[in-house]
């Protein structure tokens, strides 16, 4: 069977399946086709063509006595009667589809599914069902093109996956620990990765040592402004090392010269700020989405100043800078549309006090600040002259209580936001307060207003609208490593979000 290609669309899951099933080659005379749910069992042999069932003799006699024609019931079809390209589409949808309809731009904000090689999860699971499923799976390169590579992976397994992916672009989440340093296994894995570099599309790399990471930067960009990774769209280079060999000036300058306009997403995981005044800006001015795991507000502001086209920012931990000189001039992030901060350690007001974002549409953050947050945030929105469509705030500090909540909800600035969500500690107010303040302030949004207790989070949630983007993403974001066990895609404070698996 030749390699099967998958047409990727943003259509909802059910629409994709309907579209797939509507293209099946069913006899035109049949109006109803039944596909038994138990037609295929694990390790069962594939069924062949469906047999046409005849009506019983009495029905045939009646039919013959009237018009001379024979009556036939519709054939019973199974999923294995689907053409291979349709079955491949179903496999791909099962593995990769996630509901991201609430994002502004799923291509830039969406999560990247990658899969742990495990016989209990897709795509290897498909190969164990029957010979037809195995043939379709192996003949579909897209199913083998998104791989998690870790210390326990066998090089032979990775070699098979890369071979089955054929020429398809690759999404790779590579995490190799220090125990593999200077081993034959590491050399073999690295050789396979380098050989596939022209196919790299989305890449997250953590190699055994900082020196290994530095060598990779110079192999990725062997000369300033030249790289064989012509399809690369997202790059995450780990910085979780005691040494900083890969963060020296030469390494950052080489990285900054990455030439291809395909690279629009980037992940940065250290407090270190590139010296934008001394290094090329080829990479930075093209970026549209960036993720930070640990960063200070001064580093964040420096990136916003250097990366003019940034539209989406996700920060896991934003730390307050102590005794640092403030910016000499306000930072204007003209293209910023969404800012999500998983946890503010310190005061968010120290960041937004020097920031203007005229096109900001969505803002979400978790913080421990108390008094003054409402006024500072209101000043930021007014100064930016942005029209927020969604604001989500989680406050763990009981000092953010009834007074601060009332100031925020009674402000016309916040009341104008169509989707507003505020979570406050259940120790911060009386149990009757959330319902009362929402009844008073919801106004035009009263049909979608809510005030409820979230026991898992030990919080009250109040607000209005249907969009809630208060999310704390897991380590590795935007990569979503899938295996046989369900895992949450994100968390809302202490409460796990929707589960996913392969």
């Amino acid at each position: 069977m030749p390699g099967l290609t998958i047409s990727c669309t943003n259509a909802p899951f059910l629409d994709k399946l309907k579209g797939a099933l509507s293209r099946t080659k069913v006899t035109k005379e049949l109006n109803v086709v039944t596909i038994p749910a138990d037609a295929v069992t694990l390790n069962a042999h594939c069924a062949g063509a469906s047999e046409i069932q005849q009506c019983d003799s009495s029905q045939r006699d009646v039919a013959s006595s009237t018009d001379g024609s024979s009556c036939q019931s519709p054939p019973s079809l199974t999923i294995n009667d689907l053409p291979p390209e349709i079955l491949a589409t179903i496999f791909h949808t099962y593995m990769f589809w996630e509901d991201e309809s609430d994002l502004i731009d799923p291509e830039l904000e969406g999560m990247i599914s990658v899969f742990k090689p495990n016989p209990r999860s897709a795509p290897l699971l498909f190969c164990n069902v029957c010979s037809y499923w195995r043939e379709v799976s192996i003949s579909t390169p897209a199913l083998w093109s998104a791989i998690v590579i870790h210390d326990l992976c066998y090089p032979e397994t990775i070699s098979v996956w890369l071979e089955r992916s054929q020429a398809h672009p690759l999404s790779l989440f590579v995490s190799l620990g220090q125990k593999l340093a200077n081993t034959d296994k590491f050399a073999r894995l690295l050789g396979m990765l380098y050989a596939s570099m022209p196919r790299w599309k989305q890449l997250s790399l953590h190699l055994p040592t900082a020196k290994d990471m530095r060598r990779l930067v110079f192999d990725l960009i062997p000369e300033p402004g030249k790289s064989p990774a012509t399809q690369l769209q997202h790059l995450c280079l780990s910085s979780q090392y005691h040494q900083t060999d890969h963060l020296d000036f030469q390494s950052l300058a080489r990285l900054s010269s990455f030439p291809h306009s395909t690279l629009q997403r980037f992940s940065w995981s250290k407090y270190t700020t590139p010296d934008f005044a001394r290094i090329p800006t080829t990479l930075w001015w093209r970026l549209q989405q960036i993720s930070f795991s640990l960063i200070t507000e001064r580093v964040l502001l420096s990136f916003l100043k250097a990366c003019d086209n940034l539209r989406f920012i996700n920060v896991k931990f934003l730390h307050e800078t102590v005794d640092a000189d403030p910016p000499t001039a306000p930072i204007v992030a003209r293209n910023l549309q969404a800012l999500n901060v998983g946890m503010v350690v310190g005061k968010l007001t120290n960041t937004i006090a020097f920031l203007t974002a005229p096109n900001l549409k969505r803002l979400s953050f978790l913080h421990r600040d108390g008094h003054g947050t409402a006024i500072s945030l209101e000043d930021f929105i007014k100064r930016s002259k942005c029209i927020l469509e969604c604001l989500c705030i989680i406050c763990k500090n009981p000092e953010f209580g009834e007074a601060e909540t009332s100031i925020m909800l009674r402000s016309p600035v916040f009341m104008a936001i169509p989707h507003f969500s505020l979570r406050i500690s259940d120790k911060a107010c009386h149990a009757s307060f959330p319902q009362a303040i929402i009844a008073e302030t919801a106004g035009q949004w009263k049909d979608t207003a809510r005030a409820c207790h979230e026991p898992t989070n030990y919080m009250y949630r109040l607000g209005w609208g249907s969009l809630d983007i208060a999310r704390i993403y897991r380590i590795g974001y935007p990569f979503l490593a899938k295996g046989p066990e369900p895992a949450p895609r994100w968390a809302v404070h202490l409460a796990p979000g929707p589960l996913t698996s392969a």
Side-chain angles (χ1 to χ4, degrees):
M1 184 181 297
L4 299 173
T5 58
I6 301 296
S7 176
C8 295
T9 68
N10 293 325
F13 178 68
L14 290 179
D15 288 348
K16 282 187 174 183
L17 288 185
K18 288 177 182 178
L21 293 173
S22 68
R23 297 193 298 272
T24 56
K25 300 176 182 178
V26 181
T27 307
K28 293 182 179 179
E29 288 78 7
L30 300 180
N31 294 322
V32 179
V33 177
T34 58
I35 301 179
D38 58 350
V40 180
T41 58
L42 194 64
N43 295 323
H45 184 71
C46 283
S50 301
E51 297 180 355
I52 300 178
Q53 299 178 349
Q54 304 292 334
C55 293
D56 58 40
S57 58
S58 61
Q59 290 177 318
R60 288 199 301 270
D61 292 340
V62 172
S64 300
S65 64
T66 55
D67 58 4
S69 62
S70 61
C71 176
Q72 294 181 344
S73 63
S76 177
L77 301 181
T78 73
I79 193 172
N80 288 337
D81 291 297
L82 293 174
E85 63 272 14
I86 304 303
L87 188 59
T89 299
I90 294 174
F91 288 168
H92 187 273
T93 302
Y94 170 82
M95 289 176 60
F96 288 90
W97 183 85
E98 298 289 344
D99 185 6
E100 296 178 331
S101 57
D102 56 350
L103 300 179
I104 296 176
D105 189 338
E107 288 295 320
L108 289 172
E109 297 179 274
M111 304 188 77
I112 301 168
S113 295
V114 286
F115 300 88
K116 303 173 183 178
N118 190 306
R120 295 171 49 231
S121 60
L124 289 172
L125 182 63
F126 299 147
C127 297
N128 292 328
V129 174
C130 65
S131 59
Y132 180 48
W133 282 35
R134 176 179 175 82
E135 185 178 6
V136 171
S137 299
I138 293 177
S139 302
T140 309
L143 305 185
W144 308 91
S145 64
I147 318 172
V148 175
I149 303 175
H150 52 77
D151 290 13
L152 300 180
C153 286
Y154 294 104
E156 295 79 9
T157 301
I158 304 305
S159 177
V160 169
W161 280 56
L162 291 174
E163 180 181 353
R164 291 178 179 177
S165 68
Q166 298 181 26
H168 199 279
L170 296 172
S171 299
L172 302 173
F173 185 85
V174 183
S175 180
L176 301 176
Q178 193 170 5
K179 291 183 179 179
L180 289 186
N182 302 316
T183 63
D184 177 67
K185 181 177 181 178
F186 172 61
R188 292 175 63 190
L189 289 172
L190 199 61
M192 295 178 196
L193 293 176
Y194 279 8
S196 64
M197 190 179 292
R199 294 198 286 138
W200 289 358
K201 180 180 179 181
Q202 294 149 333
L203 180 70
S204 176
L205 273 174
H206 177 89
L207 299 182
T209 68
K211 290 183 178 179
D212 294 325
M213 293 296 293
R214 189 179 193 276
R215 282 194 295 268
L216 182 134
V217 169
F218 284 86
D219 290 331
L220 175 64
I221 312 167
E223 298 180 34
K226 294 184 179 181
S227 173
T230 56
Q231 301 185 61
L232 192 60
Q233 296 181 7
H234 179 274
L235 179 63
C236 175
L237 300 178
S238 174
S239 298
Q240 306 302 317
Y241 305 98
H242 295 297
Q243 301 82 14
T244 57
D245 300 60
H246 62 311
L247 294 176
D248 62 346
F249 176 77
Q250 290 80 10
S251 299
L252 290 177
R254 183 62 61 90
L255 177 63
S256 299
S257 72
F258 185 83
H260 305 302
S261 59
T262 54
L263 185 57
Q264 296 183 339
R265 302 183 70 177
F266 193 78
S267 296
W268 191 261
S269 57
K270 270 292 184 181
Y271 294 121
T272 306
T273 311
D275 188 351
F276 293 110
R278 299 178 58 202
I279 62 178
T281 58
T282 309
L283 167 65
W284 309 105
W285 68 264
R286 280 198 306 262
L287 292 181
Q288 296 194 43
Q289 191 272 347
I290 193 166
S291 303
F292 301 98
S293 55
L294 296 169
I295 196 170
T296 66
E297 81 258 8
R298 293 295 180 264
V299 175
L300 174 61
L301 291 172
S302 68
F303 271 93
L304 282 169
K305 184 178 180 180
C307 306
D308 290 339
N309 293 311
L310 273 180
R311 295 172 57 199
F312 309 104
I313 296 178
N314 183 79
V315 181
K316 189 170 181 64
F317 292 102
L318 178 63
H319 285 254
E320 181 180 5
T321 305
V322 180
D323 298 329
D325 294 330
T328 56
I331 306 298
V332 181
R334 301 187 185 280
N335 294 298
L336 186 62
Q337 296 182 38
L339 172 62
N340 176 67
V341 182
M343 169 68 77
V344 179
V345 183
K347 294 180 178 292
L348 182 69
T349 54
N350 293 339
T351 301
I352 62 178
F354 304 102
L355 177 64
T356 300
N359 290 302
L360 189 66
K361 296 180 180 179
R362 300 183 179 186
L363 176 61
S364 172
F365 61 93
L366 184 154
H367 70 124
R368 295 191 179 97
D369 204 1
H371 302 298
T373 301
I375 294 176
S376 298
L377 193 55
E378 183 178 21
D379 289 343
F380 164 71
I381 296 173
K382 288 181 177 179
R383 183 176 67 253
S384 295
K385 298 180 180 179
C386 59
I387 303 176
L388 279 182
E389 66 177 35
C390 184
L391 174 62
C392 297
I393 303 171
I394 302 176
C395 186
K396 300 173 63 175
N397 191 342
E399 292 184 6
F400 193 111
E402 296 185 10
E404 193 74 15
T405 301
S406 298
I407 292 173
M408 180 171 286
L409 292 182
R410 288 171 178 156
S411 165
V413 171
F414 297 105
M415 293 175 67
I417 300 173
H419 304 277
F420 176 80
S421 175
L422 173 65
R423 289 174 171 87
I424 60 175
S425 170
D426 55 12
K427 298 179 181 179
C429 64
H430 190 272
S432 62
F433 172 76
Q435 290 282 355
I437 191 66
I438 283 296
E440 174 192 340
T441 60
Q444 61 178 319
W445 315 116
K446 62 181 180 180
D447 291 339
T448 59
R450 75 181 72 82
C452 60
H453 184 244
E454 294 182 341
T456 304
N457 285 328
Y458 304 99
M459 287 186 164
Y460 289 111
R461 177 189 175 191
L462 50 161
W464 49 78
S466 58
L467 184 61
D468 187 357
I469 56 171
R471 300 170 183 175
I472 302 174
Y473 288 100
R474 304 172 65 192
I475 295 176
Y477 173 87
F479 287 85
L480 182 61
K482 297 181 179 180
E485 302 300 329
R489 294 167 59 193
W490 62 74
V492 181
H493 189 30
L494 301 177
L499 301 179
T500 188
S501 66

